[in-house]
Amino acid sequence: PKTDIVFLKVHKSASSTVMNILFRFGETHNLTFAFPIGGGNQLFYPHHFMAKFVEGFSPRNPQRFNILCHHMRFLQPEVQKVVSHSAFYFSILRNPVELMESSFAYYKGASAFSRVRSLEEFLLQPYRYYNPTDRDRHYARNLMTFDFGFNHDGEVSPKRVQLMLKLIEASFDLLLISEYFDESMVLLKEVLCWDLDSVVSFPLNIRDSSQKSPLSDSIVEKIKEWNRLDWEIYTHFNRTFWERIDRDIGRERMQREVKALRERQGELARTCLQGTGSVAPKHIKDSSLKPLQHGSARILGYNLKQGLDKETERMCRRLVTPELQYSSALYKKQFPQKDS
């Protein structure tokens, strides 16, 4: 199994669920994480990543960490200072239309969104609300392009798009697609030589779907146009994702593997969860399992079954612990002296 991993956690792309998978794997195998200094949950985002943002890094004694997965704005030469040269780089992308709809709910407080009532209103005259000098403008345009380290306000020329795609391909071993999450996990398991249980998960940091409203075709087109760079990244890597599946796994075997993954997830849900799945924040009984609520989104969580034996309880709890709580528990484990 590969144990040196860089995961670029792209915002609002099922990346919290992937992070839970990495946290669990790292904890089970006693791996070290490149934590933000002071145990925060972002590596000084939205600044480009610097090695010095990592707790325990020093240029005089460059310690290599196994897993780098907290929010950052990608900058490979700096990343290479904190992980081994053979580290495996991957990320996950999401359809920019869904991504923007999600960002609007989640980052409603961002400068570009705070003065409009709806996404439609924003898209009718984006430049009325979007200021290219605002510090938090990346949440409102080409968010994936920004997270990958590029200028998200740049012009969209074929030459520039090609260059960007080539650079991403040169830096990353695998790009997953959140719309095909189960297929993505099967592919990840395959490439990392992990077992099935390592990639089984429950969806984390998801919002209540009753809050989503369908978007009209004209709005969809406007979103694609406004997030043109993201759209180019997404369509390109959605294609290479399926090419890779055809080459390495084949559709038939993929179907079997996805079925096995879903069956295992169902088993775990029946073992671990009260009820059938996620619940609204006000119904989460254990406050340590409550996810952070953000913007106008209602973020769902889980209740564990009562009376589980110790070992099962521990396994189940790991599966449903929200990102911030899990991260800080692992930080305290890795840096016990910091807690005094």
Side-chain angles (χ1 to χ4, degrees), residues 69-208:
C69 62
H70 286 73
H71 269 311
M72 62 169 161
R73 189 172 182 207
F74 190 66
L75 188 61
Q76 193 162 19
E78 288 292 316
V79 168
Q80 285 168 333
K81 296 177 184 174
V82 299
V83 295
S84 100
H85 290 305
S86 60
F88 179 85
Y89 287 71
F90 81 104
S91 185
I92 186 163
L93 306 171
R94 183 180 185 185
N95 184 319
V97 176
E98 309 292 326
L99 181 80
M100 178 140 203
E101 193 270 338
S102 178
S103 290
F104 185 78
Y106 210 79
Y107 302 115
K108 190 69 185 75
S111 318
F113 293 151
S114 59
R115 305 205 311 279
V116 291
R117 281 185 303 279
S118 66
L119 187 51
E120 283 81 343
E121 192 183 338
F122 173 81
L123 288 160
L124 286 172
Q125 298 173 286
Y127 280 113
R128 203 178 143 185
Y129 310 104
Y130 181 86
N131 181 345
T133 61
D134 283 337
R135 255 185 60 86
D136 61 357
R137 70 188 185 282
H138 51 280
Y139 291 121
R141 187 179 202 187
N142 290 316
L143 184 49
M144 293 193 287
T145 304
F146 183 86
D147 286 353
F148 275 95
F150 302 105
N151 173 11
H152 61 127
D153 274 326
E155 51 144 3
V156 188
S157 65
K159 194 175 163 189
R160 206 163 157 265
V161 167
Q162 275 319 103
L163 188 62
M164 188 171 71
L165 296 175
K166 279 205 162 60
L167 282 164
I168 295 174
E169 269 173 350
S171 306
F172 287 83
D173 300 292
L174 182 62
L175 286 145
L176 303 172
I177 302 291
S178 66
E179 282 76 18
Y180 304 102
F181 191 78
D182 293 343
E183 290 84 352
S184 290
M185 292 307 102
V186 168
L187 192 53
L188 186 67
K189 164 178 91 80
E190 195 71 11
V191 180
L192 294 177
C193 305
W194 287 8
D195 62 6
L196 182 67
D197 271 12
S198 297
V199 298
V200 170
S201 62
F202 297 142
L204 293 174
N205 202 24
I206 49 167
R207 67 192 170 106
D208 190 339

Side-chain angles (χ1 to χ4, degrees), residues 189-251:
K189 164 178 91 80
E190 195 71 11
V191 180
L192 294 177
C193 305
W194 287 8
D195 62 6
L196 182 67
D197 271 12
S198 297
V199 298
V200 170
S201 62
F202 297 142
L204 293 174
N205 202 24
I206 49 167
R207 67 192 170 106
D208 190 339
S209 59
S210 66
Q211 296 180 295
K212 298 180 191 173
S213 45
L215 302 166
S216 69
D217 292 351
S218 70
I219 290 296
V220 167
E221 288 313 309
K222 283 193 167 76
I223 294 177
K224 286 181 192 174
E225 208 33 66
W226 177 247
N227 296 283
R228 192 79 226 166
L229 293 169
D230 273 11
W231 185 250
E232 296 286 350
I233 291 177
Y234 178 77
T235 49
H236 176 81
F237 289 108
N238 187 15
R239 197 180 66 246
T240 60
F241 173 77
W242 290 103
E243 285 168 2
R244 178 123 186 206
I245 285 173
D246 289 336
R247 193 186 73 214
D248 295 355
I249 298 181
R251 299 282 168 120

Side-chain angles (χ1 to χ4, degrees), residues 30-47:
N30 285 319
L31 303 177
T32 55
F33 289 89
F35 284 107
I37 282 183
N41 56 323
Q42 298 198 338
L43 289 152
F44 294 84
Y45 186 88
H47 296 286

Side-chain angles (χ1 to χ4, degrees), residues 19-27 33 69 323 326-327 330:
M19 202 164 175
N20 175 271
I21 288 169
L22 295 172
F23 280 166
R24 282 169 17 226
F25 186 85
E27 184 178 18
F33 289 89
C69 62
E323 177 188 323
Y326 207 154
S327 181
L330 291 173

Side-chain angles (χ1 to χ4, degrees), residues 60 140 149 194 209 232 256 274 304 313:
R60 287 184 303 288
W194 287 8
S209 59
E232 296 286 350
R256 288 199 303 276
Q274 269 181 33
L304 289 180
E313 213 272 347

